[in-house]
Each structure stands twice: as structure tokens, then as C-alpha cells.
Amino acid sequence: HAAVVWAWANYRQSEDAAVLDPDQLIIENLRQYIATNLNVKLRELAYYGDDYREVGGWYDDACVYLLSKTVAEVTGERSKTKVSRTLTAHGLIARSDEEGRATLRYLPPVGKVTVYALDRRKLMDDGYIEPEA
């Protein structure tokens, strides 16, 4: 019995176990996208320019602002409700709109775009993010 418990505990901590937890898969896909695209497809908000056809989002000291279409592509999750619930449950939404939506529909200085304002510190952390109670 002890060997099975040990093996299961080790498996649950492995990368192969990510498919067992859809929430963690969404979060890990976002983390990987951010890590590999910082200053490539993710531009610093302070240096915003007019040409953002190839941009997946922006960032500042507090947030990573990912376009909603980028989040759908990166996570593979087509349900906006599932993504919003997952990000909210894990405390990753840093800013929401005045109506309580998980997305912002206006981002100064960019203008009218639909973005998730994600907590940069939590997303750049390597540790597991527990759902908030």
C-alpha cells in the first residue's frame, strides 16, 4: 500500500499528471506562453505603438494583459466561462471591469480591446497555484 501511495504522489507532481487537472493545464499553458513571448508577442505597455497585429498582449509591473483570443488559442479552451472561472478561482485576475467581468474591454493607451488583466507576480511564480477558498 505504501508503495502505491508513494508512486501516486510522485506521479501527481509530474508534468504527465497535468492532463488530470484541467485548471492547472490552462494555467501552465499561459505561463509557458508568457515566458516564451515576453518582449516578442507580449509588449511592454509603456512603449505601446500603433502596430499590434502580431501582439498577443501587453504587460506592466503589475499585470499581463492577454487578448481574449490569445488566451483561447494558448489554452485550447474555447469556453470563455471555463477560462474565466479557472483564472478567478486561482486568484489570477488582477483587474476586472466595473460589471465584474473577468475581462477588460478597454485598455489605455491601446483602446478598445478585450483582455484578461492577469496578476503578473502570480503567473511568473514557478509554484503551484491553489484555488482560493
Side-chain angles (χ1 to χ4, degrees):
H1 181 271
V4 172
V5 170
W6 174 84
W8 181 249
N10 282 321
Y11 174 74
R12 292 282 295 162
Q13 294 176 357
S14 73
E15 290 180 21
D16 295 332
V19 294
L20 297 177
D21 187 347
D23 284 5
Q24 275 310 112
L25 189 57
I26 287 171
I27 293 167
E28 287 308 315
N29 286 344
L30 289 172
R31 280 184 169 156
Q32 184 174 10
Y33 177 82
I34 291 167
T36 57
N37 287 288
L38 210 58
N39 295 320
V40 178
K41 289 187 177 185
L42 297 175
R43 307 277 173 80
E44 193 169 355
L45 191 58
Y47 300 109
Y48 168 74
D50 291 335
D51 184 22
Y52 65 88
R53 287 178 293 197
E54 299 297 320
V55 173
W58 300 267
Y59 67 92
D60 60 21
D61 290 339
C63 297
V64 176
Y65 304 95
L66 291 179
L67 292 166
S68 60
K69 70 175 190 156
T70 301
V71 171
E73 290 169 7
V74 168
T75 63
E77 182 60 59
R78 299 295 176 220
S79 169
K80 292 177 185 177
T81 303
K82 169 66 176 159
V83 170
S84 295
R85 284 185 183 155
T86 297
L87 297 174
T88 301
H90 290 271
L92 294 174
I93 302 291
R95 290 178 46 206
S96 55
D97 73 358
E98 57 278 347
E99 296 172 18
R101 282 189 293 264
T103 55
L104 302 175
R105 302 208 177 187
Y106 185 82
L107 181 62
V110 178
K112 287 186 177 184
V113 291
T114 303
V115 295
Y116 288 91
L118 304 175
D119 187 311
R120 181 176 175 181
R121 184 188 54 81
K122 288 183 181 179
L123 273 173
M124 305 295 274
D125 178 28
D126 288 335
Y128 177 84
I129 298 175
E130 291 287 340
E132 293 182 350

